Amino acid sequence: MTQPRDEWPPLDHAEEQFVRCLAAHYAPKPLTPARRVALDEALWARLQRQPRQTRLTPALATVAVAMLITCLSWSSLFMPPAHDGGPSVNMLAMSSTEPWEYDLLYARELTDIAERDDGALLPDDYLVIARVFLDK
Amino acid sequence: MMEEALVQEPPAVALELEQRFHLFVASHRERARRLAWRLVGGDDAAAEDVIQEAFIKAYRALGQFREEASLATWFYRIVVRQAHNYCRWRTVRETWSTLWHGEIPRAAVQESGDPLLRRRIAKALAQLSRSQKEAFVLVHMEGFSVREVSALMGKPEGTVKSHLHRALQALRSELADLAEDTGGNAP
């Protein structure tokens, strides 16, 4: 890197003195030979470590992702169906259930009525039978 | 020592790269360390960390640069960037440490010459903007030309000169007594 003097910004004498003073007072001590050797050794040691880490990193990342996917898929297989606190409705059962049965089974859960006369929901023939036995 | 790191290259190429890298480290170690030291605020350990990172990056990129000059320009750009990253990280760390544990003293720095004056200069430099500080240190302290710094910072020469002018004004104002002692008049 060449440093032609004409590429530097022009400074007057006072500025040049000031800048020179800053540069002189704000500088590190030169490296001792022992420190230079230690610095070089630390650099070589890091250079040797780096390629191994670079080679291992993708492999480790792949293994970690594979383990994560396995854990997630296995845990979802053995987990019970999620409940959000609302009424649980079995859709398969619903298809074979008559509307009146469905109303009877889930009357309290699906309405805001606290107490309700379920008898009003029963079909006529059931009411007749119930009346025979219950009235006794 | 370097053979293991150069396993991807044929032996002759690896040897050539190794020799080039040895020469490169030998010729730029001191200047890079001094530059990093000045940019990180006079911390020996931080400066050495910064140049190690920069040398590792230079080593990896060595094959891509045929000319030493372009590699050097690129290398010093990395040094400047690493130093900036270090300062930013240190600011974050110190802020959190102060919040959680109260005031924590910085690691002991090299105490030679006039420590008080050095701390004042470091503080005055730290008050400059990042670009002003980098331009000032590179040109006025490290002796890079404006053109080189323009290439290093990726900014036009006019912008670099403007940063230099403002930095000099701010430093002369902050260190007015020093400016007077050296024969200048602070603005």
Side-chain angles (χ1 to χ4, degrees), chain A residues 2 26 35 46 48 52, chain B residues 1 4 38 48 53 148:
Chain A
T2 56
Y26 192 60
R35 188 78 204 119
R46 283 182 71 173
Q48 284 183 319
R52 282 185 207 137
Chain B
M1 265 182 162
E4 282 185 43
R38 284 168 164 159
E48 287 179 10
E53 281 296 326
E148 286 167 342

Side-chain angles (χ1 to χ4, degrees), chain A residues 1-3 7-8 14 18 23 25-27 29 31 35-36 40 42 44 46-48 50 52, chain B residues 1-2 4 21 29-31 33 38 41 48 52-53 59-60 110 117 143 145-148 172 184:
Chain A
M1 295 182 102
T2 56
Q3 300 152 19
E7 281 185 15
W8 286 16
F18 175 67
H25 283 97
Y26 192 60
K29 270 199 287 196
L31 281 172
R35 188 78 204 119
R36 189 180 301 129
D40 283 355
W44 306 139
R46 283 182 71 173
L47 277 170
Q48 284 183 319
Q50 294 281 331
R52 282 185 207 137
Chain B
M1 265 182 162
M2 301 284 289
E4 282 185 43
F21 189 65
R29 190 198 298 107
E30 273 297 336
R31 195 184 197 188
R33 179 175 160 269
R38 284 168 164 159
E48 287 179 10
Q52 276 192 20
E53 281 296 326
Y59 176 72
R60 287 191 195 137
Q110 184 190 38
L117 179 57
S145 70
V146 172
R147 188 177 295 172
E148 286 167 342
R172 289 186 74 193

